[in-house]
Amino acid sequence: MIKKLNMLTSAVLLIAILTAGLASFQAISRFNDQNNRAYLISAGQMISQQLADRIPADRAVARTLEAFSHNQKTLRATIVDTRGNVVFDNEADSSQMDNHLFRAEIALAIKGEGPGFAIRRSNTLDTEMIYVAQLVPELDLVVRTSMPVYTSQGPLRDMLLAIGLVLLLALAVLILISALSTRWITRPLQALNAAARAISTGDYTVRLHQLDQDDNEAAVLGEAFNSMADRLQQTITDLEERNERLAVIFENMSDPLLVVNETGAVILLNSRAKAVFGRDLDPARVTYPLVLLTHSEATDALVRQAIEGGQTIRRELPLQTVTGAAVFLVIASPVRTADDPGAILTLHDITEMKRMQKLRSDFVANVTHELKTPLTSIRGFVETLRAGAARKPDVADRFLAFIDIEAERLHKLIQDILILSEIEEIHADPHSQTFDLQTLVDAVAVLLDDAASAAGISIVVEENDSPLTVSANPDRIKQVLINLVDNAIKYNQPGGKVYIQTGRQDNGLVAISVRDTGVGIEPEHQARIFERFYRVDKSRSRDLGGTGLGLSIVKHIAQLYDGYATVESKPGQGSDFQVFLKI
Ligand code: ADP
């Protein structure tokens, strides 16, 4: 822009200077022309005067030339009679010269309308000449004075050269001044230009400060620019913040999240997705197909379906993760990223939920089976009684006793199921109170003493020096003790012993240990005996009135109090069940 302005002002200045030069050239040459004419007229008049005084032509001319010798101009004088014959010429042989009657200046002079003027090429001297002819009426002669045009223009040329130089100098100075003033005037524009460039490179903090207060347009422009920059900066900051928030949300989603394009390439994924599939991808640098990540064609199909159908699709899919096989609820929703169709995939791990579902349905199946067994027995006995056994009192009594045992088993089973489902549903026991655990242990020992004695087993409570105060629901802890001691009696042999020991550990947990000298448990069963309905010896357990839920109840109560249950056992030597509780 400055360049253009400079060029424009230079052109204007050049035209102005040329016009000024031309005008002065014309004025000077007009002045010079008049000067020369006046010179030639006065020289002619001097010659005429002398001719009139009867001084011979050659002398008159010589004198005149002498008189005008201070002037460097060369002068030619020609004297012609009114018939056009050349009488005298100081520079040529008059006898050789042709008739001059029709020379324009001479013709004009003869007409008697004052001096005749002409400028033309002289045939005699072969040069451009200026002629002035004057009539000397009393002698019927015409005195013509002339001089070469170039001679007359010599000083003029010098003068014009000087003017030209001055004008050139003026032009240079003016161009310089105009360039400087252009720069000065366009200063706000330059500042604006620099600021706009800075913004285009991402520096949104730039503002125009030195606004020319006197220059209204520049000030208004600067203010408009600054307010535009303010809004731009605000918008960019808002967008950046929003982007950051979205990125944080995206990154910290607990579920894997992926954006896939139409060709099935991953274009965005969060850290959870990278962790789950064990691939530290940067989709901005490497195109990575979804199928290589999930190892499942089904995810690709889901993406295609979502894009083509234009709606969200959910499907449960088994996928391979770094930690092994897992089941995901995959939700594919169509999205458009930069005008390209794609899909956003959310993967929700439902492996645990599925496992729980299976456990529940297995439990229902187990419960149904467990309930069916005593019921079938009861119905069998009842039918036998109806068929006639009822009429035989001793047989009837036996059958009724069997029915009683089965009914009791049923009752116990239902009771255990209820306890188990109750514990599973709560996460903290609401009926917590402070009590002495030792006292509770003693009470349980007394409660089960009859059963132990009947089996020929003795219960040994290893007493503590001081009471062990705990805070829990005593009914739950009692349940733990009863289940463990009952098992220690059941899976024991006559003469066997059951040791009960309690204590608080350094880590603050209360440990309850129930050790027996019974049958023990094979290592392969030890890990599974805490599962519901798991029994090492099913018929033995049934015969002993077990439900297969006792240890499962113990484990769940331990978990309710942020603890756990373990077993150490040697087949044929006995078992040591330990429960650790935060009570
Ligand atoms: P059950 O009602 O069958 O006793 P539990 O859940 O209490 O059910 O126990 C599960 C299984 O663990 C039992 O069937 C038994 O095989 C084994 N078991 C439990 N306690 C002992 C123990 N003290 N000694 C040996 N085996 C035991």
Side-chain angles (χ1 to χ4, degrees):
M1 185 181 186
I2 296 174
K3 219 179 196 175
K4 278 185 186 163
L5 266 176
N6 279 338
M7 275 167 64
L8 200 69
T9 46
S10 301
V12 169
L13 286 172
L14 194 68
I15 290 168
I17 293 285
L18 281 177
T19 313
L22 210 66
S24 25
F25 173 75
Q26 274 180 347
I28 288 168
S29 44
R30 210 170 23 251
F31 170 76
N32 188 61
D33 195 33
Q34 280 164 2
N35 222 18
N36 286 339
R37 284 177 191 213
Y39 167 75
L40 289 175
I41 287 172
S42 53
Q45 278 172 351
M46 195 171 165
I47 294 169
S48 303
Q49 189 58 52
Q50 292 179 73
L51 288 178
D53 292 344
R54 304 291 164 193
I55 295 168
D58 54 346
R59 283 216 19 228
V61 169
R63 271 199 203 166
T64 307
L65 281 179
E66 203 181 331
F68 282 81
S69 67
H70 65 276
N71 201 314
Q72 274 127 42
K73 295 172 185 170
T74 49
L75 188 74
R76 179 182 171 197
T78 313
I79 298 164
V80 184
D81 65 21
T82 47
R83 285 183 305 278
N85 299 318
V86 178
V87 179
F88 175 81
D89 192 294
N90 69 331
E91 288 195 0
D93 182 358
S94 56
S95 59
Q96 300 292 310
M97 291 170 72
D98 54 4
N99 190 291
H100 275 42
L101 191 62
F102 297 108
R103 296 289 195 274
E105 69 283 2
I106 289 173
L108 283 168
I110 291 172
K111 264 190 179 172
E113 291 170 5
F117 296 101
I119 292 176
R120 76 167 173 278
R121 174 161 286 278
S122 153
N123 290 340
T124 320
L125 300 178
D126 193 21
T127 164
E128 189 88 5
M129 301 288 284
I130 172 165
Y131 298 95
V132 173
Q134 293 170 99
L135 182 68
V136 189
E138 55 271 43
L139 300 176
D140 278 342
L141 288 175
V142 173
V143 174
R144 187 182 74 173
T145 46
S146 61
M147 59 199 272
V149 170
Y150 80 86
T151 310
S152 68
Q153 286 180 351
L156 176 68
R157 239 198 337 254
D158 293 346
M159 199 188 298
L160 284 175
L161 203 66
I163 290 172
L165 279 176
V166 168
L167 287 178
L168 264 181
L169 198 69
L171 183 69
V173 170
L174 284 174
I175 285 176
L176 189 72
I177 290 171
S178 103
L180 288 176
S181 49
T182 304
R183 186 167 280 273
W184 183 69
I185 290 166
T186 58
R187 217 180 27 179
L189 287 180
Q190 290 168 41
L192 190 71
N193 186 21
R197 272 174 198 277
I199 283 188
S200 75
T201 59
D203 178 8
Y204 301 105
T205 58
V206 73
R207 294 290 181 278
L208 292 176
H209 294 300
Q210 289 160 335
L211 295 173
D212 196 341
Q213 293 308 317
D214 297 335
D215 189 343
N216 200 28
E217 288 91 341
V220 169
L221 190 65
E223 269 164 31
F225 178 87
N226 282 352
S227 70
M228 181 205 76
D230 282 346
R231 289 189 55 188
L232 196 63
Q233 189 177 13
Q234 189 55 48
T235 310
I236 297 285
T237 312
D238 287 352
L239 279 177
E240 277 174 356
E241 272 173 16
R242 198 169 342 146
N243 263 359
E244 219 164 284
R245 271 203 299 274
L246 284 178
V248 168
I249 294 170
F250 184 75
E251 269 308 297
N252 292 291
M253 292 273 289
S254 54
D255 284 338
L257 215 74
L258 303 109
V259 180
V260 183
N261 70 12
E262 207 177 10
T263 64
V266 177
I267 54 172
L268 207 63
L269 77 170
N270 67 354
S271 1
R272 186 75 193 120
K274 291 177 191 171
V276 164
F277 295 111
R279 289 270 188 282
D280 192 14
L281 296 182
D282 182 1
R285 291 196 299 127
V286 187
T287 311
Y288 204 84
L290 176 67
V291 67
L292 287 188
L293 199 71
T294 59
H295 304 291
S296 162
E297 300 273 353
T299 49
D300 265 14
L302 208 62
V303 168
R304 272 200 304 278
Q305 242 177 299
I307 296 173
E308 282 162 16
Q311 58 186 22
T312 300
I313 298 180
R314 296 155 184 272
R315 194 142 306 154
E316 284 179 15
L317 296 174
L319 298 175
Q320 198 60 38
T321 71
V322 272
T323 50
V327 184
F328 286 94
L329 171 65
V330 185
I331 304 168
S333 306
V335 284
R336 291 193 81 82
T337 51
D339 260 10
D340 292 329
I344 182 158
L345 284 186
T346 319
L347 282 73
H348 186 56
D349 191 341
I350 52 168
T351 317
E352 184 58 21
M353 194 186 88
K354 283 269 152 194
R355 199 181 67 85
M356 294 301 288
Q357 266 176 7
K358 190 173 178 326
L359 275 182
R360 221 162 284 148
S361 63
D362 285 355
F363 181 64
V364 171
N366 273 329
V367 166
T368 315
H369 176 75
E370 293 293 331
L371 288 174
K372 253 167 120 180
T373 317
L375 272 175
T376 312
S377 301
I378 290 171
R379 284 182 66 188
F381 290 133
V382 169
E383 244 154 61
T384 316
L385 282 172
R386 271 201 186 141
R391 284 184 291 275
K392 296 174 188 158
D394 52 330
V395 179
D397 272 357
R398 222 157 22 95
F399 273 52
L400 283 173
F402 285 143
I403 290 173
D404 196 27
I405 291 169
E406 293 300 329
E408 175 58 25
R409 196 196 306 281
L410 214 51
H411 171 72
K412 230 180 136 204
L413 190 65
I414 290 167
Q415 225 175 6
D416 277 359
I417 290 168
L418 286 176
I419 291 170
L420 203 58
S421 69
E422 188 190 320
I423 305 164
E424 271 184 342
E425 264 175 34
I426 55 170
H427 296 291
D429 206 319
H431 308 290
S432 189
Q433 54 179 270
T434 307
F435 61 93
D436 175 27
L437 183 58
Q438 194 65 60
T439 313
L440 186 69
V441 170
D442 290 340
V444 169
V446 171
L447 189 72
L448 296 175
D449 197 46
D450 281 352
S453 306
I457 289 152
S458 51
I459 300 175
V460 181
V461 178
E462 295 179 7
E463 295 288 341
N464 290 315
D465 297 339
S466 54
L468 183 57
T469 312
V470 297
S471 178
N473 180 346
D475 289 343
R476 302 261 185 250
I477 310 302
K478 190 175 176 184
Q479 186 78 58
V480 169
L481 285 164
I482 290 175
N483 286 7
L484 291 177
V485 177
D486 185 44
N487 278 351
I489 297 168
K490 277 194 300 190
Y491 304 104
N492 217 320
Q493 40 226 349
K497 281 197 166 34
V498 176
Y499 301 93
I500 310 173
Q501 199 180 7
T502 55
R504 194 177 286 280
Q505 293 188 309
D506 292 344
N507 59 13
L509 293 182
V510 165
I512 299 173
S513 158
V514 177
R515 186 162 54 87
D516 62 63
T517 54
V519 294
I521 306 158
E522 299 284 343
E524 68 265 29
H525 298 296
Q526 287 178 16
R528 298 200 61 190
I529 52 169
F530 290 96
E531 288 174 18
R532 294 161 176 159
F533 298 114
Y534 189 84
R535 298 149 169 130
V536 177
D537 184 341
K538 223 167 187 159
S539 63
R540 178 168 183 169
S541 163
R542 266 185 66 81
D543 291 348
L544 293 169
T547 60
L549 293 174
L551 286 180
S552 187
I553 290 171
V554 168
K555 182 181 85 175
H556 278 92
I557 292 176
Q559 286 171 351
L560 186 65
Y561 289 104
D562 294 333
Y564 57 97
T566 61
V567 63
E568 275 175 37
S569 181
K570 278 205 178 106
Q573 289 185 21
S575 314
D576 184 2
F577 282 87
Q578 292 198 324
V579 180
F580 301 90
L581 305 157
K582 202 171 176 184
I583 53 175

